[in-house]
Amino acid sequence: MEQYMLGTILATLLGIIGVYVFFLKKNGAKNNNDIGASTTTTTTNIDGECRSGEHSGNADVIIVGAGVAGAALAYTLGKDGRQIRVIERDLTEPDRIVGELLQPGGYLKLMELGLEDCVEKIDAQRVFGYALFKGGKNTRLSYPLEKFHSDVAGRSFHNGRFIQMMREKAATLPNVQLEQGSVTSLLEEKGAVKGVLFKNKSGEETKAYAPLTIVCDGCFSNLRRTLCEPKVEVPSCFVGLILENCQLPYVNHGHVILGDPSPVLFYQISSTEVRCLVDVPGQKVPSITSGEMANYLKTMVAPQVPTELHDAFIAAVDNGNIRTMPNRSMPAAPHPTPGALLMGDAFNMRHPLTGGGMTVALSDIVVLRNLLKPLRDLHDAPTLCKYLECFYTLRKPVASTINTLAGALYKVFSASSDEARTEMRQACFDYLSLGGVFSTGPVALLSGLNPRPLSLVCHFFAVAIYGVGRLLLPFPSPKRMWIGVRLIYSASGIIFPIIKAEGFRQMFFPNTVPAYYRTPPE
């Protein structure tokens, strides 16, 4: 008992020292490059185009993009009676390797928006938690769903099928118009956005006007530069495969392998298909065409895959349908602009390891819908812009919790040559394996069911303190004490820059931000 008390006291002191040292040595902001800008092109493929009846007069809201955020927003605002015009570059079914897991918190928002039927009839799979694998050991982490309706769970699916269902649902509203076109720029007049300039599917330049333009054109947005301060980081790339006719070790659970050099994910996206995402650090991946990628997957990744999935993994590699996707991270740094608003991945991105992107987008839509609902007229752009500044604060509990957790977990789950980081990684696995509040607390944060930033920080440093305790017991040696100090310092270096990017005041004390109390204009 005395050794335990000594270890606890020393761990606490080391924690305080580590945080103090971190603040003394913390570097300035990193040099971030915006690689998200791209040039859109006109598409002529219109198979599967969703249409709704034409309406007369100008729209109340123009939505650029009809992905998860754009389609859900179109239906939500259209259901409130507004005239909505959606302009999407390509209305055919998307084919992506991300955006395939909706957390339970996101499903609750889907229900709140009346879109829960969009995960039906697409062979979506229910998800009840995660399984972690490390060094031959594994542990199961279940979502804390006891207090919710039996239908509430995560959902995994083909991203394109889900988006098409939401587009079709939005198009059933007579006041929602979906059309195919590539938006090239925003139309501005006297500092306010009045609409957009776009090329329709025939290649003709056309102008569309509305008192409010909402840009949801995704991670490759070519419009975000004028509406936010884009600081895009690409910490890694996902290599995507589909495993067929195999069964996961834990049915209806996502699987995370804490591999070397970084995590590997498996989750069911249909009754016969398992998605595999291999994280490759950095912006470059081995060449697919030369066979370098297949060799990497077979020699480096396959030995770390659970035995139940090994043969199916090798077969998927041999099949050759290997795809890649850069993983982007971008904190929300808006430039409030009269007449325009950014949403979705065009506005805010986080590492997709935790599958929280759609949850953040749907939560943002709920916040925006509630803010716009009491407004009859959107034409006073400066007043509306001032009022909507509260959107950036009201979204913070959900967005900042998921963003911070995604960034922190990716760094903790990645292998490192640093002893302190290695100890932190092992401590995280062991902490989650304890069960009870030690697993349900972090999983509630990850799933969007408990959007509390303070709870996230407490659990994060509890993992660090737990790791230090493991080092100091049964007897603290000088080397272990030094590793413990570095562990706390490393943990601080992981989470505090993310919190700084999210905004400390908005994240932890939103009610002290003046915009928090904005009332709807008359």
Side-chain angles (χ1 to χ4, degrees):
M1 179 62 72
E2 291 178 353
Q3 288 180 338
Y4 178 80
M5 291 178 65
L6 176 61
T8 303
I9 293 170
L10 287 172
T12 304
L13 290 174
L14 287 170
I16 295 171
I17 293 169
V19 173
Y20 178 73
V21 172
F22 169 79
F23 275 112
L24 284 178
K25 295 186 177 181
K26 184 171 61 174
N27 293 328
K30 294 179 180 179
N31 181 29
N32 300 309
N33 296 317
D34 179 15
I35 66 164
S38 63
T39 304
T40 56
T41 57
T42 305
T43 58
T44 57
N45 185 354
I46 59 173
D47 294 336
E49 180 173 350
C50 304
R51 301 173 183 270
S52 69
E54 296 288 333
H55 58 78
S56 59
N58 289 332
D60 297 316
V61 180
I62 291 174
I63 298 176
V64 181
V68 171
L73 184 62
Y75 176 77
T76 301
L77 299 184
K79 195 169 61 171
D80 285 347
R82 301 192 189 275
Q83 297 288 346
I84 309 298
R85 187 173 184 179
V86 185
I87 304 172
E88 162 60 35
R89 185 181 62 83
D90 187 355
L91 284 168
T92 59
E93 184 175 309
D95 184 14
R96 304 180 66 203
I97 64 171
V98 292
E100 297 173 317
L101 177 63
L102 180 65
Q103 297 286 3
Y107 183 76
L108 287 173
K109 297 300 179 183
L110 205 66
M111 293 176 64
E112 194 171 344
L113 297 172
L115 288 165
E116 67 273 18
D117 57 342
C118 291
V119 296
E120 299 173 2
K121 300 179 181 179
I122 61 172
D123 199 16
Q125 305 296 300
R126 292 163 69 85
V127 182
F128 296 110
Y130 283 88
L132 286 184
F133 293 74
K134 183 181 185 298
K137 297 181 179 180
N138 64 79
T139 184
R140 183 170 63 176
L141 313 172
S142 298
Y143 293 134
L145 300 173
E146 298 81 7
K147 298 180 180 180
F148 298 96
H149 186 273
S150 60
D151 191 48
V152 177
R155 295 292 193 281
S156 53
F157 39 67
H158 281 275
N159 172 267
R161 296 175 187 174
F162 179 55
I163 288 176
Q164 286 301 92
M165 289 294 289
M166 288 203 293
R167 288 174 177 176
E168 290 171 10
K169 182 134 186 183
T172 61
L173 300 176
N175 52 319
V176 174
Q177 177 189 355
L178 272 71
E179 61 185 296
Q180 189 161 291
S182 297
V183 176
T184 55
S185 64
L186 301 173
L187 298 175
E188 295 188 43
E189 181 181 320
K190 297 180 180 179
V193 173
K194 299 296 183 181
V196 298
L197 177 68
F198 71 101
K199 291 183 179 180
N200 61 26
K201 59 189 177 184
S202 301
E204 301 170 347
E205 278 203 341
T206 310
K207 295 179 180 179
Y209 295 93
L212 179 61
T213 299
I214 303 178
V215 177
C216 309
D217 57 347
C219 62
F220 297 105
S221 175
N222 66 331
L223 302 177
R224 66 160 64 102
R225 285 182 178 275
T226 58
L227 301 176
C228 77
E229 184 179 346
K231 294 182 179 179
V232 181
E233 290 184 346
V234 182
S236 65
C237 296
F238 267 157
V239 178
L241 301 165
I242 287 185
L243 282 58
E244 297 183 344
N245 299 313
C246 63
Q247 186 168 328
L248 293 168
Y250 293 94
V251 180
N252 297 114
H253 283 69
H255 291 56
V256 182
I257 289 80
L258 303 188
D260 186 2
S262 50
V264 181
L265 310 180
F266 293 92
Y267 50 90
Q268 200 97 19
I269 58 172
S270 74
S271 54
T272 61
E273 298 166 301
V274 170
R275 168 65 72 194
C276 171
L277 293 174
V278 179
D279 186 87
V280 178
Q283 299 182 25
K284 293 183 179 180
V285 297
S287 170
I288 295 176
T289 55
S290 68
E292 187 182 355
M293 175 65 77
N295 182 61
Y296 174 83
L297 295 174
K298 286 182 178 181
T299 58
M300 291 292 294
V301 180
Q304 305 179 69
V305 171
T307 54
E308 299 93 328
L309 300 172
H310 184 271
D311 291 345
F313 179 83
I314 295 295
V317 174
D318 289 337
N319 185 45
N321 188 18
I322 303 172
R323 302 175 59 192
T324 63
M325 175 75 178
N327 294 324
R328 294 173 173 82
S329 176
M330 185 182 76
H335 292 162
T337 304
L341 197 68
L342 265 176
M343 292 192 74
D345 283 349
F347 175 50
N348 185 201
M349 293 180 281
R350 76 292 309 149
H351 195 285
L353 172 68
T354 60
M358 290 189 289
T359 299
V360 172
L362 294 170
S363 176
D364 284 356
I365 290 169
V366 170
V367 172
L368 183 62
R369 177 201 64 183
N370 294 339
L371 288 173
L372 293 180
K373 187 168 284 189
L375 304 183
R376 296 181 181 179
D377 189 359
L378 305 177
H379 283 83
D380 188 346
T383 301
L384 179 64
C385 180
K386 190 75 172 175
Y387 167 61
L388 288 181
E389 285 181 10
C390 60
F391 166 76
Y392 304 115
T393 302
L394 295 173
R395 69 181 295 272
K396 275 294 176 181
V398 174
S400 63
T401 300
I402 292 175
N403 293 347
T404 304
L405 185 60
L409 270 187
Y410 177 69
K411 292 182 178 180
V412 171
F413 280 177
S414 296
S416 173
S417 58
D418 183 357
E419 280 185 289
R421 289 282 296 273
T422 300
E423 286 291 336
M424 181 72 175
R425 190 189 198 206
Q426 185 64 50
C428 187
F429 180 84
D430 292 343
Y431 182 89
L432 294 171
S433 300
L434 292 173
V437 68
F438 304 106
S439 64
T440 58
V443 173
L445 293 163
L446 181 149
S447 62
L449 296 173
N450 179 29
R452 296 179 182 175
L454 185 59
S455 179
L456 165 60
V457 173
C458 288
H459 276 289
F460 186 82
F461 279 103
V463 170
I465 297 296
Y466 177 77
V468 173
R470 290 171 66 254
L471 286 166
L472 300 185
L473 295 175
F475 185 79
S477 67
K479 179 181 179 181
R480 286 174 170 266
M481 291 177 65
W482 175 238
I483 294 174
V485 171
R486 285 167 48 211
L487 191 156
I488 296 294
Y489 176 76
S490 176
S492 302
I494 287 173
I495 198 166
F496 283 124
I498 302 174
I499 291 174
K500 180 181 178 182
E502 289 292 321
F504 183 85
R505 185 180 177 189
Q506 285 186 311
M507 191 169 171
F508 295 102
F509 305 103
N511 56 351
T512 67
V513 179
Y516 186 83
Y517 300 99
R518 295 274 157 79
T519 56
E522 296 181 0

